[in-house]
Amino acid sequence: MKSTVQEILTHYPNAGHDSLIPILQQVQEKLGFLSEEAVVEVGKYLKMPASKIFGVATFYNQFRFTQPGKYHVQLCRGTACHVLGSATVLEEMEKQLKVKSGQTTRDKLFSLEVVACIGACGLAPVISINGEFHAKVTSDSIKSILDEYRNREVQS
Amino acid sequence: MNLTIEVNNNKIQANPGETILDVLNRHGMSVPTLCHMKGLFPTGSCRMCVVEVEGRRNLVTACSEPVTQGMKIKTHSSRVIESRKTIVELLLSNHPDDCLYCERNGNCELQKLSEDLNVRERRISGNKNNYKLDVSSASLVRDPAKCILCGRCVRVCEEIEGVSAIEFVGRGSKTFIDTSFNHGLNLSTCVNCGQCIMVCPTGALKEKPHISEIKNNLSDPTKTVIVQYAPSISVSLAEEFGFQPGVNIIGLMNAALRRIGFNFVFDTSFSADLTIMEEASELVHRVTNGGVLPMITSCCPGWVKYAEEFSHDMLPHLSTCKSPQQMMGAIIKSYFAEAEGIAPENIYSVSVMPCTAKKFEQQREEMTQNGISDVDAVLTTRELARLIRLYGIDINKLEPELADSPLGTRSSAGKLFGSSGGVMEAAIRTAHYFVTGKEMVKFQVKGVRGLQGRKEATVLMGDLEVGVAVVSGLKNAEELLQEIREGRSNIHFIEVMACPGGCINGGGQPIGADENAIRARMMTLYDIDEKDAIKVSHKNPYIVELYDKFLGKPLGHKSHHLLHTHYQKREIF
């Protein structure tokens, strides 16, 4: 059985260092994040030290290194959202989820990511949970939004 | 020389292809540098070496800008000086101001730059760096808070050692240097060579300190504290006390070690002789019995860990001999303990090494007998200097003394271990005797001497033609190993040292030595060999006695038990 990473690598015969980022992007798409094992495997294939790949990957905001939760929260910190108070929203979100940005809750239900702008400035402050947008979020409304997802879990 | 450039209104000659910095240095002019590393490709990232070039709107980096005909350069215009000063002020803005507590106080490039550029006020204040210390390694301590991101450690690790244990992580103002997945050095591919310490301009990298543990044992009356020092220490320690590079202060060092309170002072060059007896026997055994060739030396713990991680296919090629440090440790706690009637557990065995990887080697579980470590603590050359000062010893006022008998007597072959090619030369001398029964007519093997990264020679032992190669810097080693893998077969014996030039340039040596200082240390070792009466390990009378009274014969049962080891494949992350 080929691992997911091996499967991806078959699409890159004779790949050089310039294929690193596309490979990492595909790995993240399949696994949801860049696991240590995946990075080591890619490194062996491209003959690159894991530290180098980690260095490149941490340079870009798009790569994550922890498994995302079932519900991935993207919290916009773009200009419009900032003006309308996304800093307090983030603070409250971190408090509610008990994780920092880039981390996943212990029950693996939620993961939190801060993004620069998701192009929905009219809805500011905006968050997106698994692609579902929630507009004009306030620190008071966060709990009910999160509960909505928690309830889905209980029902299913 | 067919270019003329003008520097500060003086015309000077330059070669096409040279950088401004090359030309300035050649003419004895200096501009400050930080990220620049001699011999490596310039990055121009720190901007410290900026100069003003007429006709150019922006300042240019001298390290990376090639000279052109008629170029007019100002190296110290007020614009240039202001700019350099601002860079230093920015570097200081998030640097922890704890110089008084810093390892590198008085020996710090950042401190020197701010002094030289007359930084006298805190003009820019930012948030101070706040990173965790990485104390996970047995050899090194990393303090990313003191790091100014010059990148020299990253480059030496990648481009000289081929290890790449550390890398820039993150982006922008949040960039710092770390291992992959922030695991800490002990879980990384780090081979503990310490070359990163040697290039670090600040106190962000240092050796794991063993001084306080040694102090405690020195004041414990139940312990017999024994010290051994590596061949290269006596020619480098002097620099820590203001002597010229290359001065041999072995006598003063013996005296200082006794003043500190070490009960016995031994010379690792003795066990280097012992290593040669075993290693040369192993070579002859492999050559005559069709063993795995080429045989590769195993004295360098940085190289050993590298082989276990990156070249485990080559592990059968490694000599099974322990390093001289570990052989000495094993002999002290067996032969010597028995002869003196001291219980091995009451011996505290310290070694002084030019090396940080020795601290890792000392705590390897293979390096024990019945649960007792062969060696208990390792000091670097720098730490020994600190210890001497700590005990208030004025090295200039001491009278030279001799090391203790019997483990303090060496041949000059053992002393050669300190320099790249030395193990090879010593081994050739003894192997020649083992194969032919005769001594070499001329002992010096010119082909393996010098500071080059790779040296090769062919040596005749009677009718036997032996191809030897000497590499230092693990990147050079990897290139040679690749040739071997691809079928090269005219090399039978390889010496590998992790540090460029060998132990005289080890990661535990005094910081700030340039190539001339390293060369001076090497020349002193060659000079000692020239003048010494006993030039071969097998003629060291105490080695002969050790085999007669205790070990039996090289590669014998006792040797195998005490002086040989094994290696394991390590997974790399």
Side-chain angles (χ1 to χ4, degrees):
Chain A
M1 233 311 263
K2 266 188 189 159
S3 72
T4 319
V5 178
Q6 291 297 338
E7 185 64 40
I8 292 167
L9 292 175
T10 54
H11 300 295
Y12 292 88
N14 313 317
H17 291 185
D18 52 342
S19 302
L20 175 63
I21 289 176
I23 290 175
L24 292 182
Q25 283 170 327
Q26 281 204 18
V27 170
Q28 171 145 309
E29 205 179 299
K30 278 274 183 324
L31 299 178
F33 72 116
L34 299 180
S35 71
E36 224 174 297
E37 297 76 22
V39 166
V40 171
E41 226 168 304
V42 172
K44 275 186 186 147
Y45 184 72
L46 294 178
K47 299 198 170 56
M48 277 177 92
S51 64
K52 278 246 119 59
I53 298 181
F54 187 65
V56 170
T58 51
F59 183 86
Y60 297 100
N61 273 328
Q62 58 175 305
F63 295 115
R64 312 172 36 90
F65 305 94
T66 46
Q67 189 152 22
K70 185 165 184 193
Y71 299 105
H72 185 54
V73 182
Q74 290 181 305
L75 190 148
C76 183
R77 287 285 285 122
T79 315
C81 291
H82 174 74
V83 170
L84 290 168
S86 63
T88 11
V89 175
L90 175 61
E91 203 179 302
E92 181 63 24
M93 184 67 87
E94 289 182 337
K95 216 154 124 194
Q96 290 275 337
L97 293 178
K98 298 194 184 72
V99 293
K100 292 273 178 219
S101 159
Q103 295 176 333
T104 304
T105 57
R106 224 176 240 191
D107 58 7
K108 302 259 192 289
L109 201 55
F110 293 101
S111 51
L112 178 60
E113 181 189 6
V114 168
V115 292
C117 178
I118 46 181
C121 305
L123 310 177
V126 61
I127 63 171
S128 154
I129 302 182
N130 282 6
E132 293 171 12
F133 280 45
H134 297 265
K136 304 198 189 308
V137 183
T138 62
S139 43
D140 294 335
S141 68
I142 288 174
K143 191 170 186 311
S144 60
I145 296 171
L146 292 176
D147 280 346
E148 194 187 317
Y149 289 91
R150 286 190 179 116
N151 286 335
R152 281 190 209 176
E153 278 310 289
V154 179
Q155 281 158 17
S156 60
Chain B
M1 296 257 188
N2 43 16
L3 293 181
T4 308
I5 63 170
E6 208 179 293
V7 180
N8 304 335
N9 301 322
N10 295 317
K11 286 204 166 45
I12 58 173
Q13 298 292 312
N15 301 313
E18 272 184 309
T19 62
I20 297 176
L21 186 68
D22 289 337
V23 179
L24 293 177
N25 286 344
R26 198 154 43 76
H27 285 88
M29 290 177 260
S30 76
V31 292
T33 58
L34 257 183
C35 68
H36 179 69
M37 296 176 83
K38 213 178 157 201
L40 298 185
F41 197 78
T43 56
S45 60
C46 75
R47 322 299 295 175
M48 192 54 77
C49 64
V50 284
V51 293
E52 207 170 339
V53 175
E54 199 177 287
R56 295 278 288 269
R57 199 163 59 91
N58 294 327
L59 299 178
V60 302
T61 45
C63 69
S64 60
E65 187 77 14
V67 285
T68 53
Q69 174 63 29
M71 200 177 222
K72 287 184 180 159
I73 299 165
K74 291 225 162 30
T75 60
H76 288 85
S77 68
S78 42
R79 183 179 169 207
V80 167
I81 290 176
E82 260 332 290
S83 158
R84 287 181 194 148
K85 190 173 172 185
T86 306
I87 292 169
V88 172
E89 286 171 328
L90 283 167
L91 288 173
L92 289 173
S93 70
N94 63 357
H95 189 83
D97 289 331
D98 56 356
C99 294
L100 283 176
Y101 303 93
C102 182
E103 183 96 353
R104 294 286 295 273
N105 189 17
N107 186 17
C108 166
E109 285 180 43
L110 186 61
Q111 212 176 38
K112 183 167 188 308
L113 280 171
S114 58
E115 168 76 24
D116 290 353
L117 288 160
N118 199 24
V119 176
R120 281 292 170 265
E121 58 178 329
R122 217 179 279 271
R123 199 160 65 89
I124 309 163
S125 57
N127 288 335
K128 295 291 169 190
N129 284 337
N130 184 20
Y131 297 108
K132 279 193 196 122
L133 274 180
D134 178 1
V135 293
S136 63
S137 163
S139 292
L140 308 169
V141 177
R142 281 186 338 113
D143 185 356
K146 287 181 185 159
C147 173
I148 56 171
L149 301 173
C150 69
R152 291 184 343 203
C153 54
V154 174
R155 297 196 71 191
V156 84
C157 196
E158 181 184 354
E159 295 174 43
I160 305 290
E161 303 298 346
V163 170
S164 283
I166 44 176
E167 180 58 51
F168 288 99
V169 167
R171 165 162 70 170
S173 61
K174 294 196 175 101
T175 309
F176 65 113
I177 288 173
D178 207 353
T179 55
S180 95
F181 286 90
N182 319 108
H183 276 326
L185 275 178
N186 65 332
L187 287 178
S188 76
T189 51
C190 172
V191 299
N192 308 304
C193 70
Q195 284 299 308
C196 52
I197 300 179
M198 303 306 283
V199 296
C200 183
T202 69
L205 285 156
K206 60 175 184 180
E207 67 273 65
K208 176 147 269 182
H210 283 186
I211 285 188
S212 35
E213 208 192 311
I214 291 172
K215 247 169 39 200
N216 292 343
N217 279 281
L218 280 167
S219 51
D220 182 344
T222 64
K223 294 279 183 192
T224 304
V225 188
I226 301 179
V227 68
Q228 55 164 316
Y229 48 77
S232 62
I233 307 295
S234 74
V235 299
S236 61
L237 180 69
E239 288 158 54
E240 286 275 356
F241 296 98
F243 293 88
Q244 285 293 315
V247 174
N248 182 18
I249 54 164
I250 193 153
L252 300 179
M253 182 166 76
N254 287 331
L257 288 168
R258 289 210 181 89
R259 298 291 178 287
I260 290 170
F262 290 104
N263 302 100
F264 294 93
V265 178
F266 293 142
D267 189 342
T268 313
S269 309
F270 169 86
S271 53
D273 281 337
L274 185 58
T275 307
I276 287 301
M277 293 298 284
E278 296 291 328
E279 203 157 338
S281 305
E282 192 184 349
L283 178 67
V284 172
H285 181 81
R286 286 193 190 204
V287 171
T288 50
N289 292 292
V292 182
L293 287 173
M295 189 171 96
I296 311 179
T297 57
S298 58
C299 327
C300 171
W303 150 242
V304 168
K305 183 157 187 261
Y306 180 91
E308 289 178 321
E309 287 171 349
F310 295 96
S311 302
H312 35 81
D313 57 321
M314 287 291 180
L315 288 178
H317 292 261
L318 258 69
S319 160
T320 58
C321 293
K322 286 183 185 174
S323 70
Q325 162 181 278
Q326 296 305 135
M327 283 201 183
M328 178 64 95
I331 292 295
I332 286 174
K333 292 198 181 176
S334 57
Y335 172 68
F336 182 75
E338 219 174 283
E340 294 285 316
I342 313 169
E345 56 269 29
N346 289 335
I347 293 180
Y348 189 76
S349 181
V350 179
S351 70
V352 184
M353 293 286 141
C355 183
T356 45
K358 290 284 175 196
K359 290 180 188 260
F360 172 81
E361 182 184 44
Q362 166 261 319
Q363 51 91 62
R364 284 179 71 121
E365 61 174 350
E366 298 90 355
M367 301 297 172
T368 54
Q369 304 292 335
N370 311 322
I372 300 173
S373 298
D374 290 344
V375 174
D376 297 294
V378 179
L379 292 175
T380 60
T381 317
R382 299 186 289 268
E383 282 178 289
L384 174 60
R386 231 167 279 150
L387 195 66
I388 291 173
R389 286 191 210 104
L390 185 67
Y391 277 77
I393 294 161
D394 182 352
I395 204 150
N396 293 298
K397 301 247 165 73
L398 296 175
E399 285 298 317
E401 293 175 12
L402 285 174
D404 285 304
S405 203
L407 310 181
T409 310
R410 53 152 186 84
S411 78
S412 67
K415 190 76 180 169
L416 283 178
F417 266 58
S419 164
S420 159
V423 181
M424 179 58 73
E425 197 167 332
I428 289 172
R429 292 178 189 179
T430 293
H432 184 277
Y433 177 77
F434 285 169
V435 170
T436 65
K438 284 185 277 228
E439 298 296 348
M440 294 169 83
V441 183
K442 195 165 169 287
F443 285 117
Q444 281 77 5
V445 186
K446 284 261 154 38
V448 299
R449 291 192 166 194
L451 291 175
Q452 309 90 294
R454 182 192 305 196
K455 295 163 276 186
E456 289 182 18
T458 310
V459 187
L460 276 177
M461 298 181 186
D463 301 330
L464 193 66
E465 199 171 273
V466 181
V468 300
V470 173
V471 282
S472 62
L474 292 171
K475 187 111 188 214
N476 293 326
E478 189 55 45
E479 279 165 18
L480 177 64
L481 293 183
Q482 199 48 38
E483 288 170 26
I484 304 286
R485 286 190 192 105
E486 282 160 9
R488 188 171 172 193
S489 61
N490 62 343
I491 299 286
H492 306 100
F493 190 26
I494 301 172
E495 178 204 299
V496 182
M497 293 292 159
C499 297
C503 308
I504 44 174
N505 188 28
Q509 294 284 32
I511 283 165
D514 60 2
E515 204 186 315
N516 291 332
I518 311 295
R519 195 175 300 278
R521 295 174 193 166
M522 177 183 76
M523 294 319 288
T524 306
L525 290 180
Y526 292 156
D527 192 49
I528 292 168
D529 178 52
E530 198 65 43
K531 291 179 180 147
D532 235 52
I534 305 172
K535 288 189 172 51
V536 287
S537 304
H538 54 271
K539 288 271 171 66
N540 179 339
Y542 292 99
I543 288 284
V544 176
E545 188 183 299
L546 177 64
Y547 276 105
D548 280 351
K549 281 196 186 158
F550 185 68
L551 287 171
K553 61 179 194 327
L555 307 183
H557 177 71
K558 250 194 180 136
S559 293
H560 179 78
H561 182 64
L562 287 172
L563 309 179
H564 289 258
T565 183
H566 57 275
Y567 312 103
Q568 59 194 14
K569 179 183 169 183
R570 288 173 195 268
E571 288 300 330
I572 52 173
F573 297 99

